[in-house]
Amino acid sequence: MRIAMVSEHASPLAALGEVDAGGQNLHVAELSAALVRQGHDVTVYTRRDDPRQAPRLRTPAGYDVVHVPAGPARNVGKDELLPHMGEFARYLQRCLRRQRPDAVHSHFWMSGLVAVLACRELGIPVLHTYHALGVVKRRHQGAADTSPRQRPAVEAMIGRSAAAIVATCTDEMFELVRMGVSRRRIAIVPCGVDIGQFHPNGPRAPASGHAHRVVGVGRLVPRKGFADLIAALPGVPGAELVIVGGPEPARLGQDAEARRLAELAAWAGVADRVRLAGQVQRRRMPALLRSADLVACVPWYEPFGIVALEAMACGVPVVASAVGGLIDTVVDGRTGVHVPPRRPAALSAALRELLADPGGRAELGLAGRDRAVSRYSWDRIAFDVQRVYERCVVGGQPSDVLPAVGSAR
Ligand code: UDP
């Protein structure tokens, strides 16, 4: 099949960890690569955000990236991009006319908008993955949510127009049904993990003299819950907390959220046990995760949460908030432990208990690796996504909900 991926702000080529570059970039890159391995032809359309970018290039993984000229050729925050999406849609439509794909898979709401606009006259089926939902963001962030006010209405429109919605977890499916999306058009296919790269055996980042290491990874945004982790730390004596993500270490001092977290650590009396590591390159991530006694993924809400899978694949137990995709991926008491979101006291108790139980941690880690390998390899995920494409391409719509790979226990 010939597949066009649309990922307006999240380029598969971006370095991960900065405010607008995380799981979506990785998802698009890994899914595209896995589809190419299965013999498909994949082109990713993403916004040109640097004048040095080639208009079109072939990646080593075998998929093409087209840099779409829409808005200024520099980094623009994703919440400022909506005005440029008309230009993006017109360019995309010209490309799709020239090289007609069998299906278009759009990622995030603005990509969904341009895909629906570009494909309407062409009769090409659009499959959409939201990655995050505006209604959920608004519920949790209230006035701090800077998304354009049109976002919920556009998301609902995509839900009505797309041939299929590829949701990444069960919780998202419930949200979509509440938004009025027909359940028959929703398939659940989670994100995956590179089980070859993220593996229990291999080098570990050096220890730093503390009795235990807890690692948290993610973009430095408040909803990732790093402040809750810091607030939990006084109740976890002897443990060091390494927070990975944000700008490169040299630029960390200019990052407002990094400064806020450092101040919080000082205020809580744990500054000597909290290390803000900044952005860590992908190739160094497995060694860093392997060096952890526990990986903590404690966001307020989480559309999917790839870091938990990466930790599981490395055989490291996960303490995760029982929200969003983490409800499906982390099996409470088997591959990790669930805690309520935004409750530092409960988090503190869970961390303390697990750090005191090396045998229990080893069991959770082994089960995590098994679960990652058996359910979440990118090849398996790409195969499930391909089945959704096939149902749409033959002209029909998904006849039923695909097996909820991520939610099966
Ligand atoms: N990541 C990384 N380097 C960093 C910070 C994050 O490679 O410095 C990666 C991380 O390993 C994961 C992704 O970025 O693969 C974040 O995905 P997740 O789904 O956890 O969060 P999102 O960014 O989508 O909210």
Side-chain angles (χ1 to χ4, degrees):
M1 267 189 285
R2 179 178 285 165
I3 310 297
M5 299 272 178
V6 183
S7 183
E8 68 341 349
H9 73 283
S11 166
L13 306 175
L16 308 183
E18 299 240 22
V19 166
D20 282 343
Q24 182 182 332
N25 308 64
L26 185 77
H27 182 115
V28 171
E30 294 281 5
L31 178 60
S32 300
L35 286 166
V36 167
R37 286 197 294 278
Q38 290 174 9
H40 303 291
D41 180 319
V42 181
T43 302
V44 180
Y45 294 86
T46 192
R47 202 183 74 83
R48 180 165 166 256
D49 62 5
D50 186 327
R52 290 164 300 182
Q53 283 161 342
R56 182 179 197 115
L57 57 89
R58 169 68 48 98
T59 63
Y63 60 88
D64 284 358
V65 175
V66 171
H67 289 115
V68 177
R74 61 173 161 76
N75 191 12
V76 177
K78 66 177 187 288
D79 291 341
E80 316 296 323
L81 285 178
L82 185 60
H84 307 297
M85 290 299 118
E87 204 182 345
F88 196 123
R90 284 189 293 279
Y91 188 93
L92 177 66
Q93 193 181 55
R94 284 199 297 278
C95 295
L96 300 182
R97 270 190 212 282
R98 271 201 305 274
Q99 201 189 31
R100 187 186 170 89
D102 297 300
V104 171
H105 187 170
S106 51
H107 299 261
F108 200 61
W109 69 281
M110 283 179 287
S111 302
L113 174 65
V114 300
V116 168
L117 290 175
C119 295
R120 209 164 27 194
E121 297 160 18
L122 304 178
I124 302 169
V126 174
L127 296 94
H128 183 68
T129 296
Y130 285 95
H131 290 273
L133 283 171
V135 281
V136 177
K137 188 169 187 188
R138 184 47 60 98
R139 192 181 304 146
H140 290 276
Q141 300 204 0
D145 175 13
T146 52
S147 308
R149 58 178 169 72
Q150 298 92 332
R151 179 173 174 177
V154 172
E155 287 181 336
M157 179 283 289
I158 298 163
R160 290 191 299 273
S161 313
I165 302 297
V166 186
T168 55
C169 68
T170 322
D171 184 57
E172 184 187 348
M173 187 188 71
F174 294 141
E175 293 285 351
L176 291 168
V177 169
R178 272 199 287 274
M179 274 165 55
V181 180
S182 156
R183 196 177 180 287
R184 288 169 55 82
R185 286 189 300 110
I186 306 172
I188 300 179
V189 186
C191 298
V193 62
D194 182 337
I195 53 172
Q197 185 187 17
F198 289 87
H199 195 281
N201 303 322
R204 284 156 202 253
S208 52
H210 295 276
H212 295 292
R213 174 176 287 170
V214 176
V215 170
V217 181
R219 292 172 295 122
L220 286 192
V221 290
R223 70 120 171 139
K224 287 289 178 184
F226 296 129
D228 296 328
L229 263 175
I230 293 171
L233 208 58
V236 196
E240 157 196 51
L241 171 63
V242 181
I243 298 177
V244 174
E248 291 158 6
R251 286 191 291 122
L252 212 51
Q254 296 151 32
D255 185 279
E257 181 64 3
R259 283 204 304 271
R260 184 179 81 95
L261 293 175
E263 278 163 23
L264 187 66
W267 179 82
V270 291
D272 56 333
R273 294 196 281 131
V274 174
R275 183 150 59 88
L276 293 167
Q279 187 175 59
V280 164
Q281 289 170 4
R282 244 10 267 112
R283 60 187 172 79
R284 288 182 46 219
M285 193 61 81
L288 193 108
L289 295 177
R290 281 192 289 262
S291 77
D293 296 294
L294 287 177
V295 167
C297 304
V298 289
W300 305 347
Y301 65 96
E302 188 60 272
F304 186 74
I306 295 179
V307 172
L309 270 191
E310 293 173 343
M312 284 162 57
C314 287
V316 180
V318 183
V319 173
S321 342
V323 296
L326 298 169
I327 301 172
D328 291 351
T329 49
V330 178
V331 184
D332 189 32
R334 302 288 286 278
T335 72
V337 169
H338 278 155
V339 291
R342 308 189 77 169
R343 294 261 306 277
L347 178 56
S348 203
L351 294 173
R352 218 171 29 241
E353 211 169 291
L354 267 181
L355 289 176
D357 179 10
R361 288 205 308 279
E363 268 179 39
L364 296 174
L366 277 174
R369 172 70 191 172
D370 279 354
R371 183 164 172 75
V373 169
S374 62
R375 296 190 188 282
Y376 295 102
S377 73
W378 276 112
D379 287 332
R380 156 103 190 242
I381 302 308
F383 180 73
D384 285 347
V385 170
Q386 175 200 313
R387 283 165 63 202
V388 190
Y389 293 162
E390 280 165 356
R391 291 192 200 174
C392 297
V393 169
V394 293
Q397 290 181 341
S399 55
D400 204 347
V401 177
L402 272 183
V405 217
S407 66
R409 294 278 156 92

